[in-house]
Amino acid sequence: MPKIPAMQAVVEVLKSEGVDTVFGCPGAAILPLYKAMEQDRGIEHLVVRHEEGATHMADGWARTTGNVGVAIGTSGPAGTNMITGLYTAIADSIPIVCITGQAVSSKLHQEAFQAVDIVEIARPVTKWAVQLKEAAQAPWIFREAFRIARSGRPGPVLVDIPLDVAKQEIEWDAGLDAPLPVAAVEPHLPRVERALDMLLAAERPLLLAGGGVILAGGTDELVELAEYLDVPVQVTLMGKGAIPEDHRLFAGMTGIQTHQRYGNASFLESDLVLAVGARFGDRHTGELDVYRGDRRFIHVDVEPTQLGRVFGPDLGIVSDARLFLRELLAAARRRTTARTAGSWVERVNELKRTLTRPMDSGDVPIKPNRVFNEINQTFGPDTYFVTAIGLYQIWSGQFQQTFQPRHYQVCGQAGPLGWEIPAAIGVKKAKPQAEVVGVVGDYSFQFLVEELAVAAQYDVPFVLVMLNNEYLGLIRFAEKGYDMNYEVDIHYDEFGSDNVKIMEAYGCSGRRVRDPEEIRGALEWARKEAERTSRPVLVEVMIEREADIAAGTRIDRIIEPEPVPNP
């Protein structure tokens, strides 16, 4: 068997695992891997401006492709800069592999320059963190890294490579190698039958699709099951896109922040909830005694320890979401004929018609609802959307329409500010022909704004829609509970930071909007400008400074910030 550089074997493994694009920042301790990539030329590499940005780009790429994203950094602070991205990925079950360089093995105990125990630092926020000890293990460590990242509940892995190990040669033949198999987590069939018993016995059942349905590729099975049994479907924030929002069985979202009025109302009237690939996050459930009520719950998740983590379900099933839905549909077809629309579906649709919120305000300053109405009217169902954390994310969850899986990318549990720009780069690199739109806040925009340089350098166009209230809006909202408004106002001069000029400093374009009648035209301009320049384009919408969200602590007591129509 021929001898080749160990890092050449790593590059061969990456390619065979389906990786065609990686995001990283070179440094002295990782140069052997970069030398192998330079010689191979089979993987595109984008030089990031911050290693956290690399992880979020890999994250966006992974969410869009369904494959494992890859981020690369050198030793020391490169790895510690990646921790937020690893946390985001493990929180949202996103498969990425982060590769870090390391000081030579003999110097690790001597406080060598940029030598830190990144494996121990990363362990709590990864499925596996490992340091390569022997060069001959390199291809096998990376095969296992990809297998673990994909298996069960997907998530991130970190591989740390000391410089002396990276420089060695090993015996390796890429032609005799292949990815390791990933075991399917199949449902226990008697539990599938019991779930069907409970579903058929319920008078007002709901299917609740979480992000696990999308990750498992089970959205077709979900819709087919819902249509066969005529059961309304709700989604969690991570599950947006699991069913088209214009489908007659779409029943909205339940939550104390991201929700619709009709979603909460439908949930409160239900008597059984079949939750698939959902983790019962606290922003979804609110106070558990209200959320649980007298209804029964079936919880399906690929990760056994998720069952009972928030509350004990009436029936728990460990399974891949797609395989469970497929088996449940097969069981339903054996035992019953397809159902026609009944009174429960009619009731849900009545709630959808009557429990709404206004979307077309002409007020100045601009109401946030109007911004999302214009987004919905301007961009088509094939558009990929990216959004992060803040009031704008909550408004997005409440008002923005989604029609396809993997087309609504949101950092759900970790909520890192700055996620949108690098994530949008990852999405666009995964789908170069698709239209990509990032919905951002004025504060989050500046956390990783330097990654605009990456998009400009590598011709990665997308549209950014900023809702600018010159506030830390979500924290201002939270401070109301403490009767305070302290250190959250970031306004200065005319409109604070000049975000249009910031765009221009990176060689990009931007436009500021103050009149709601100008939003549509600005969005259309941005689409054309992004295509013309092959770079990001910003539409900054100056919204009402102290606009609030509809929210509460329990799903039956949501406080509305604006008048709403009564049924």
Side-chain angles (χ1 to χ4, degrees), residues 161-474:
I161 310 175
L163 182 58
D164 54 317
V165 177
K167 288 181 175 180
Q168 296 178 34
E169 291 189 340
I170 63 172
E171 292 184 349
W172 181 253
D173 186 348
L176 300 177
D177 195 43
L180 299 177
V182 175
V185 182
E186 299 185 359
H188 184 53
L189 295 183
R191 286 185 176 260
V192 175
E193 296 289 349
R194 179 63 60 84
L196 182 59
D197 290 341
M198 295 171 66
L199 195 58
L200 295 176
E203 294 182 1
R204 300 176 302 282
L206 284 175
L207 300 180
L208 176 62
V213 174
I214 293 175
L215 293 174
T219 56
D220 288 345
E221 287 80 1
L222 172 78
V223 174
E224 196 172 355
L225 174 69
E227 291 175 342
Y228 189 81
L229 293 179
D230 209 49
V231 177
V233 180
Q234 289 202 352
V235 297
T236 66
L237 181 62
M238 296 297 296
K240 272 180 75 74
I243 183 172
E245 294 192 16
D246 58 356
H247 194 287
R248 69 178 184 87
L249 292 175
F250 178 68
M253 300 172 65
T254 291
I256 58 172
Q257 292 183 355
T258 50
H259 69 277
Q260 288 84 39
R261 294 178 69 206
Y262 66 86
N264 280 1
S266 299
F267 189 92
L268 288 166
E269 292 189 17
S270 69
D271 62 358
L272 178 135
V273 176
L274 168 53
V276 184
R279 60 182 179 84
F280 298 119
D282 53 347
R283 292 199 302 167
H284 167 68
T285 65
E287 294 183 15
L288 282 175
D289 59 338
V290 177
Y291 182 84
R292 294 183 69 182
D294 294 327
R295 63 192 57 83
R296 305 179 77 191
F297 286 87
I298 305 168
H299 190 192
V300 182
D301 203 281
V302 72
E303 170 54 50
T305 61
Q306 286 293 100
L307 303 181
R309 174 169 286 188
V310 178
F311 61 85
D314 296 273
L315 177 65
I317 302 173
V318 177
S319 178
D320 171 270
R322 180 172 177 266
L323 297 181
F324 168 78
L325 291 166
R326 185 180 69 185
E327 291 296 340
L328 185 62
L329 178 60
R333 284 175 170 158
R334 288 192 300 268
R335 289 171 50 181
T336 186
T337 57
R339 293 182 174 184
T340 56
S343 59
W344 172 228
V345 172
E346 292 176 0
R347 172 59 177 162
V348 169
N349 281 306
E350 178 188 0
L351 294 172
K352 286 170 67 174
R353 288 190 300 271
T354 57
L355 295 181
T356 60
R357 294 187 175 110
M359 296 283 287
D360 56 357
S361 169
D363 291 356
V364 178
I366 298 169
K367 298 286 188 184
N369 309 23
R370 175 66 182 270
V371 181
F372 290 101
N373 187 47
E374 298 297 335
I375 289 174
N376 290 338
Q377 296 297 321
T378 302
F379 298 100
D382 294 332
T383 305
Y384 285 80
F385 289 98
V386 173
T387 191
I389 179 66
L391 290 183
Y392 62 97
Q393 180 215 62
I394 297 167
W395 288 318
S396 172
Q398 291 178 351
F399 300 115
Q400 200 169 336
Q401 294 179 330
T402 308
F403 302 93
Q404 298 182 57
R406 299 190 183 274
H407 282 61
Y408 186 85
Q409 313 286 19
V410 56
C411 49
Q413 194 269 346
L417 289 163
W419 186 81
E420 308 97 320
I421 291 174
I425 293 172
V427 173
K428 185 65 175 179
K429 291 303 295 183
K431 296 289 183 181
Q433 304 307 313
E435 187 164 37
V436 177
V437 177
V439 178
V440 303
D442 54 302
Y443 193 56
S444 181
F445 172 74
Q446 296 190 43
F447 267 60
L448 288 167
V449 68
E450 74 280 350
E451 303 310 322
L452 285 171
V454 180
Q457 178 180 351
Y458 294 99
D459 295 325
V460 185
F462 51 89
V463 173
L464 290 170
V465 183
M466 177 188 292
L467 280 74
N468 188 352
N469 58 5
E470 302 172 85
Y471 255 115
L472 310 188
L474 184 56

Side-chain angles (χ1 to χ4, degrees), residues 29-30 72-76 78-79 99-103 114 118 159-163:
I30 196 66
I72 304 174
T74 189
S75 58
I99 307 170
T100 53
Q102 183 59 275
Q114 291 190 336
I118 193 62
V159 181
D160 189 45
I161 310 175
L163 182 58

Side-chain angles (χ1 to χ4, degrees), residues 50-114:
H50 191 286
E51 292 87 358
E52 182 185 344
T55 63
H56 296 329
M57 291 178 201
D59 181 338
W61 189 91
R63 291 179 196 242
T64 306
T65 63
N67 200 359
V68 181
V70 174
I72 304 174
T74 189
S75 58
T80 56
N81 284 344
M82 289 178 163
I83 295 301
T84 297
L86 290 167
Y87 165 40
T88 304
I90 200 165
D92 287 350
S93 307
I94 307 303
I96 66 172
V97 171
C98 288
I99 307 170
T100 53
Q102 183 59 275
V104 297
S105 303
S106 60
K107 296 291 185 181
L108 295 182
H109 66 292
Q110 295 179 345
E111 298 184 352
F113 178 66
Q114 291 190 336

